[in-house]
Amino acid sequence: MVTRVMSSEILAADIGATSCRFAHFRTSDEGIKLLSSKWLRTSEQNSFAGLLHNLAESDFSLTPKEADIVSIGVAGPIEDGVYCKPPYISWEIDFSCAERDYGFSRYCLINDFVAQAYACKSPIAQMATQVVDGKARRDATIAVIGAGSNLGKAIVAVREGGNYIVVPSEGGHITFPLQSRRELEFAQFVLTRTAADYLTCNEVISGKGLSRIHEFLTGECLEPSEVSARFADHNETLLWASRFYGRVCRNFALDTLALGGVFIAGGVAAKVPQLVKHPAFREEFVSSPRHNELLSTIPVYLIVDEESGLWGAAMCGAKKLCEVLSRE
């Protein structure tokens, strides 16, 4: 369901370890429309204030002061709705004095995969590609998962009457599930390079994970884009990566009983859809000694639009703006 607010301007942002994406949305009684977007490299920003300055210096069509609400998804846990110190970004976001510091009083600060979860209720979800057959239940939980620089997760929990709430997660930081001696060797290979105590999902289901899988199997140290370009020549890398992706999606689907479906977002699968379209993905997704039949009923969708997080942030912003205006 699209939240409708008469003729309002929304500044949406999706701030990740690689890119800071911004978009100008307009809502009306006809729905929500994307007017323009702008991407900036996260590594080139020295602070959130500096990021907004660089945005203002660009050709972007909306300033924070002009927006009716600013809605920002960021890759990290949110504290009290006003603060985030992203684990993979060198600066923090603090909205405790947002109007004084940045010139806006209405805002949403949410986890980036909370934004991806809201995107599943936006028009962008209608463009998703179904990669695993199944039939979604309208009244059931939806699991949202996806890899970019790291792995993100969130849950859409449906309430009575079709309403829903979005539940955040930091599930990318949990231990990655290993199932064979060869996989244990892979884990040791990664740990020697990270000096970590255990292997997390972030280190495997991500762009850097693609590079590590390929290096372990072939001895070649390549960038993720170089790895995916060689999938035809190194099918074993694709096989491992697809199986691993299917495994974390299966485990999350079982964790949440996601009978409403699993939505995959994030830049890795959008750029390399073979990862989730390879037969190994589905084989691993439905593999369960007790729940193979249940898993076979759950559809899996791939959101191919890399600006889906912006749509989700805008949906959240529109929802909050509607609530605020109804009280004013």
Side-chain angles (χ1 to χ4, degrees):
M1 180 179 68
V2 176
T3 302
R4 296 179 177 178
V5 179
M6 182 66 72
S7 189
S8 297
E9 311 299 317
I10 298 177
L11 174 55
D14 181 8
I15 297 177
T18 302
S19 298
C20 295
R21 304 175 176 96
F22 293 88
H24 177 186
F25 285 86
R26 179 170 294 149
T27 62
S28 70
D29 57 3
E30 295 180 352
I32 186 167
K33 182 179 181 180
L34 172 62
L35 300 182
S36 67
S37 63
K38 186 72 177 182
W39 292 30
L40 301 173
R41 291 191 61 81
T42 306
S43 61
E44 296 175 0
Q45 318 307 317
N46 57 16
S47 66
F48 182 71
L51 172 64
L52 292 184
H53 172 78
N54 290 335
L55 180 67
E57 292 293 304
S58 73
D59 57 355
F60 188 61
S61 59
L62 183 68
T63 68
K65 291 182 180 180
E66 295 170 331
D68 292 296
I69 192 166
V70 174
S71 186
I72 295 179
V74 59
I78 309 301
E79 299 179 22
D80 299 323
V82 299
Y83 179 82
C84 181
K85 177 60 182 78
Y88 297 104
I89 300 175
S90 62
W91 35 268
E92 63 186 14
I93 298 175
D94 188 346
F95 283 175
S96 56
C97 296
E99 187 167 16
R100 181 199 68 192
D101 295 338
Y102 307 116
F104 53 84
S105 57
R106 294 174 180 156
Y107 62 85
C108 295
L109 183 62
I110 56 176
N111 174 265
D112 62 333
F113 258 77
V114 167
Q116 294 290 0
Y118 275 105
C120 294
K121 295 294 185 178
S122 79
I124 206 73
Q126 299 171 10
M127 301 169 60
T129 301
Q130 188 164 348
V131 294
V132 174
D133 290 339
K135 186 172 178 61
R137 280 178 39 179
R138 293 174 58 87
D139 61 344
T141 299
I142 296 170
V144 188
I145 186 170
S149 300
N150 296 283
L151 182 68
K153 296 180 180 181
I155 304 161
V156 181
V158 179
R159 290 174 160 177
E160 291 184 10
N163 294 321
Y164 63 91
I165 58 170
V166 174
V167 182
S169 168
E170 286 295 318
H173 296 271
I174 67 172
T175 305
F176 180 77
L178 301 162
Q179 295 184 183
S180 70
R181 183 183 297 274
R182 183 72 167 145
E183 290 181 11
L184 286 169
E185 293 172 357
F186 167 70
Q188 190 58 45
F189 170 83
V190 175
L191 291 176
T192 59
R193 283 154 175 75
T194 62
D197 294 327
Y198 59 88
L199 186 67
T200 69
C201 291
N202 281 332
E203 302 298 333
V204 181
I205 312 300
S206 60
K208 58 181 174 286
L210 273 181
S211 296
R212 285 166 178 160
I213 292 168
H214 187 75
E215 184 180 1
F216 172 71
L217 294 173
T218 69
E220 293 182 309
C221 184
L222 302 176
E223 291 297 314
S225 59
E226 296 175 306
V227 173
S228 60
R230 298 191 184 192
F231 275 161
D233 298 324
H234 297 283
N235 190 55
E236 189 179 16
T237 300
L238 175 58
L239 177 68
W240 274 56
S242 297
R243 186 170 68 236
F244 285 166
Y245 216 139
R247 186 178 303 169
V248 296
C249 287
R250 175 196 67 208
N251 289 353
F252 195 39
L254 290 173
D255 278 341
T256 59
L257 195 57
L259 300 181
V262 174
F263 278 80
I264 298 173
V268 172
K271 291 184 177 73
V272 193
Q274 305 102 295
L275 283 171
V276 296
K277 292 183 177 181
H278 192 285
F281 178 91
R282 185 189 183 279
E283 290 171 8
E284 192 73 17
F285 181 76
V286 301
S287 177
S288 170
R290 295 289 182 271
H291 285 303
N292 174 272
E293 185 174 339
L294 173 69
L295 288 162
S296 296
T297 69
I298 298 176
V300 180
Y301 305 94
L302 172 62
I303 299 177
V304 296
D305 192 321
E306 292 188 66
E307 293 190 334
S308 56
L310 293 172
W311 279 89
M315 290 290 290
C316 181
K319 184 177 180 181
K320 181 168 183 177
L321 184 58
C322 185
E323 293 169 354
V324 170
L325 294 179
S326 68
R327 295 195 298 265
E328 293 180 352

